[in-house]
Amino acid sequence: MEVSPMPNTTDRIIRLRTVLDRTGLSRSTVYRKIAEGTFPSQVRISVHGAGWRESAINRWIADPVGYREDITDQVARTLNAAEGSR
């Protein structure tokens, strides 16, 4: 019986500079697209810091025109908004 290796379940959090470098977008375009739902939302990593899941950015890079946030991205954005309003 062959045992398949465990998938890499770690998902790095990358910061804005890396997102801009990898996507070629400007800062204002990234935030406009987040508001439109056509770019991955940020994930809060500290009181004053946020980043993006690398897997979400990779999905966007693979298909920028067809990208729509999946349910986990939408839940993360909702939770981050709720935490920010406290």
Side-chain angles (χ1 to χ4, degrees):
M1 182 169 120
E2 185 177 321
V3 176
S4 63
M6 292 200 46
N8 183 3
T9 57
T10 60
D11 194 7
R12 292 183 344 150
I13 301 297
I14 56 178
R15 301 299 298 263
L16 179 61
R17 172 61 33 213
T18 304
V19 170
L20 299 179
D21 289 344
R22 293 196 52 204
T23 62
L25 299 175
S26 69
R27 177 184 172 105
S28 60
T29 299
V30 165
Y31 289 110
R32 178 177 48 80
K33 287 181 162 298
I34 290 170
E36 295 169 351
T38 59
F39 194 82
S41 296
Q42 294 172 292
V43 176
R44 181 150 313 277
I45 57 177
S46 70
V47 175
H48 298 289
W52 284 261
R53 287 186 177 85
E54 187 173 32
S55 62
I57 297 302
N58 289 339
R59 282 195 318 274
W60 184 88
I61 290 170
D63 185 14
V65 174
Y67 179 86
R68 291 287 182 254
E69 283 190 319
D70 65 16
I71 189 67
T72 57
D73 294 331
Q74 291 172 0
V75 169
R77 183 169 52 169
T78 302
L79 290 174
N80 284 336
E83 288 177 2
S85 65
R86 291 181 194 183

